[in-house]
């Protein structure tokens, strides 16, 4: 089925031509869809006959918020959305000093198989359509009443495994006739699909690239991230370099600190060696414990010592605040819980 909400203004214009309608209506329709209308009758500046034709041929789908959890500690809100086909994805709204940020999902499930991640436990169900990513931003804004200025593609799924749809989503959400969110306010996180990093770099978008590194050696990374067997560090790091050379955007490396796996001072040294010469920023994330996994978070002291070692070696490293820890805010957890509950009924 064709979804108008995944289409650009020129594409909607083409489609209207086929219906003998003037092209200027494309922009009107686009604007309405990007305001989150539920049906064509809300598009009051369109003729009734056109509204009826469109309603018949191109149903408007909107997600339903089946769960909403708000952190009492920091105002983080997590939504679980039910999509038109019954699948669920999560979105998290975080309130940072620089603006409200949504963390969106890019796929239903994931096929990357990282050992510490709840999103991948049931495998990949399907990629999300561009409009389903847009809807997460749009309806989080509408349901919360909070204006969204920043987006991170760090929810369920691997964005580079769904690149064409992700690129279309970026174009849509960046549109001045839609939500108009600046590319500079968008970050994309990947576990390291090298050819796709190159493809993205060639487009020279102004988005930030984050790499889920989580290990400074192939040995460690192979243990926790199967993707490393396909794209080991000696391929991943040069790809990061190429991305930097094309875009001049500093690369962010995410590093989940796992007790006894990747958190020693020797590991910090190895990480410094690995990142030598690359404009980089390391984001240390205390591991969120996932019920099904034996991996445990590093101690606060180990995280602090690791950070200090990196800084001493000349690499900026921050420790990510764990927002929403009282509401299962790390991605994949709420969806799993909900799916299990509804399966048991
Ligand atoms: N697939 C992409 C996007 C997911 S982003 C990627 O891998 O980057 C989600 C981020 O959270 C990734 O850095 C992921 O490695 C990290 N993550 C997943 N499970 C986690 C956990 N239990 N604790 C801490 N970080 C986790």
């Amino acid at each position: 089925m064709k979804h108008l909400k995944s289409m650009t203004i020129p594409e909607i214009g083409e489609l209207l031509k086929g219906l003998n309608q003037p092209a200027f209506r494309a922009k009107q329709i686009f604007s309405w869809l990007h305001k989150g209308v539920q049906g064509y009758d809300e598009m009051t500046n369109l003729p009734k006959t056109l509204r009826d034709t469109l309603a018949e041929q191109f149903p408007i789908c909107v997600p339903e918020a089946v769960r909403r959890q708000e952190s009492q500690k920091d105002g983080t809100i997590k939504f679980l959305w039910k999509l038109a086909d019954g699948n669920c994805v999560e979105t998290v709204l975080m309130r940072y000093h620089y603006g409200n940020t949504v963390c969106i999902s890019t796929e239903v499930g994931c096929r990357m198989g990282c050992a510490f991640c709840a999103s991948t436990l049931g495998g990949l169900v399907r990629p999300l359509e561009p409009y389903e990513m847009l809807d997460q931003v749009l309806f989080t804004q509408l349901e919360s009443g909070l204006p969204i200025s920043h987006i991170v593609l760090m929810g369920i799924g691997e964005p580079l495994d769904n690149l064409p749809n992700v690129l279309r989503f970026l174009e849509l959400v960046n549109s001045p006739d839609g939500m108009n969110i600046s590319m500079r306010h968008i970050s994309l996180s990947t576990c390291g699909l090298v050819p796709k990093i190159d493809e993205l770099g060639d487009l020279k978008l102004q988005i930030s690239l984050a790499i889920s590194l989580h290990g400074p050696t192939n040995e460690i990374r192979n243990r926790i991230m199967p993707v490393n067997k396909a794209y080991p560090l000696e391929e991943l790091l040069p790809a990061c370099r190429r991305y930097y050379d094309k875009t001049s955007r500093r690369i962010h490396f995410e590093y989940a600190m796992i007790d006894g796996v990747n958190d020693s001072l020797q590991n910090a040294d190895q990480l410094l060696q690995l990142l030598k010469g690359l404009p980089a920023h390391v984001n240390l994330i205390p591991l969120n414990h996932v019920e099904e996994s034996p991996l445990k978070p590093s101690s606060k002291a180990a995280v602090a010592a690791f950070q200090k070692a990196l800084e001493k070696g000349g690499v900026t490293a921050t420790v990510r605040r764990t927002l929403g820890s009282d509401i299962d805010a790390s991605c994949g957890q709420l969806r799993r819980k909900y799916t299990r509950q509804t399966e048991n009924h």
Side-chain angles (χ1 to χ4, degrees):
M1 189 174 26
K2 262 198 178 161
H3 291 279
L4 292 191
K5 227 190 297 183
S6 288
M7 292 165 68
T8 59
I9 295 174
E11 284 172 354
I12 299 176
E14 274 302 302
L15 194 139
L16 289 174
K17 231 195 248 168
L19 299 173
N20 289 323
Q21 290 288 330
F24 72 88
R25 298 243 176 257
K27 202 160 158 176
Q28 294 176 324
I29 294 169
F30 185 92
S31 296
W32 283 115
L33 290 171
H34 289 238
K35 285 195 176 81
V37 293
Q38 314 257 342
Y40 289 97
D41 280 338
E42 291 176 53
M43 303 188 181
T44 45
N45 54 359
L46 298 191
K48 174 91 175 91
T49 47
L50 176 59
R51 282 188 254 156
D52 291 345
T53 313
L54 292 175
E56 220 167 79
Q57 295 188 19
F58 309 102
I60 298 176
C61 296
V62 294
E64 178 196 350
V66 286
R67 286 274 191 287
R68 174 187 166 135
Q69 297 183 350
E70 191 156 349
S71 166
Q72 297 309 306
K73 292 197 228 162
D74 52 45
T76 298
I77 310 176
K78 180 151 190 165
F79 291 97
L80 184 71
W81 305 107
K82 192 183 237 171
L83 307 172
D85 67 352
N87 276 305
C88 289
V89 289
E90 295 169 38
T91 307
V92 187
L93 167 63
M94 293 160 295
R95 303 169 69 172
Y96 289 114
H97 65 275
Y98 52 77
N100 297 318
T101 304
V102 281
C103 174
I104 66 159
S105 299
T106 54
E107 297 180 310
V108 181
C110 184
R111 61 188 184 120
M112 296 297 130
C114 299
F116 45 80
C117 182
S119 302
T120 200
L121 290 167
L124 175 67
V125 179
R126 68 169 175 86
L128 290 184
E129 297 292 326
Y131 83 90
E132 292 173 317
M133 292 180 239
L134 179 79
D135 275 349
Q136 293 176 61
V137 186
L138 194 49
F139 285 90
T140 297
Q141 178 167 284
L142 290 172
E143 292 261 344
S144 68
L146 297 166
I148 308 293
S149 55
H150 292 68
I151 303 172
V152 295
L153 280 70
M154 292 193 185
I156 299 170
E158 167 50 51
L160 295 189
D161 199 28
N162 186 17
L163 187 54
N165 287 355
V166 164
L167 290 176
R168 171 52 62 93
F169 157 70
L170 294 175
E171 185 181 352
L172 293 173
V173 82
N174 181 234
S175 166
D177 298 298
M179 296 197 78
N180 199 12
I181 294 181
S182 153
M183 289 284 185
R184 287 185 166 267
H185 288 184
I186 302 177
S187 291
L188 182 152
S189 176
T190 177
C191 62
L193 300 178
V194 166
K196 305 284 174 177
I197 294 173
D198 283 327
E199 213 177 309
L200 186 67
D202 287 339
L203 299 173
K204 297 188 167 44
L205 302 176
Q206 285 302 298
I207 59 171
S208 297
L209 180 68
I211 305 284
S212 296
L213 192 62
H214 307 322
T217 63
N218 282 328
E219 192 212 331
I220 295 177
R221 222 168 169 255
N222 283 342
R223 266 171 71 192
I224 51 178
M225 299 182 74
V227 67
N228 196 68
K229 295 184 183 136
Y231 305 110
L233 292 171
E234 61 275 18
E235 290 181 32
L236 179 58
L237 269 295
C240 294
R241 176 87 234 176
R242 291 192 292 275
Y243 188 90
Y244 174 77
D245 288 341
K246 288 179 212 163
T247 63
S248 305
R249 307 280 293 165
R250 184 170 71 147
I251 313 272
H252 298 269
F253 290 93
E254 292 155 279
Y255 197 99
M257 304 272 310
I258 310 173
D259 184 41
V261 173
N262 63 4
D263 62 348
S264 70
L265 288 178
Q266 188 199 0
N267 297 148
D269 272 341
Q270 290 164 328
L271 185 54
L272 283 169
Q273 288 305 316
L274 192 71
L275 299 182
K276 223 177 201 155
L278 184 68
H281 163 255
V282 176
N283 207 341
L284 300 172
I285 313 160
L287 183 81
N288 268 302
H289 181 61
V290 172
E291 244 172 61
E292 290 86 343
S293 156
L295 301 172
K296 299 273 179 309
S298 305
S299 69
K300 266 198 171 140
V303 177
F306 200 91
Q307 180 189 20
K308 214 169 136 197
L310 291 183
E311 294 275 0
K312 214 172 130 208
V315 168
T316 48
T318 46
V319 179
R320 185 179 292 172
R321 273 195 303 153
T322 42
L323 294 178
S325 53
D326 52 334
I327 55 165
D328 293 321
S330 47
C331 262
Q333 297 188 7
L334 185 58
R335 170 171 168 259
R336 269 192 80 68
K337 221 178 243 180
Y338 178 81
T339 321
R340 268 192 251 138
Q341 277 168 5
T342 45
E343 272 166 5
N344 292 341
H345 283 173

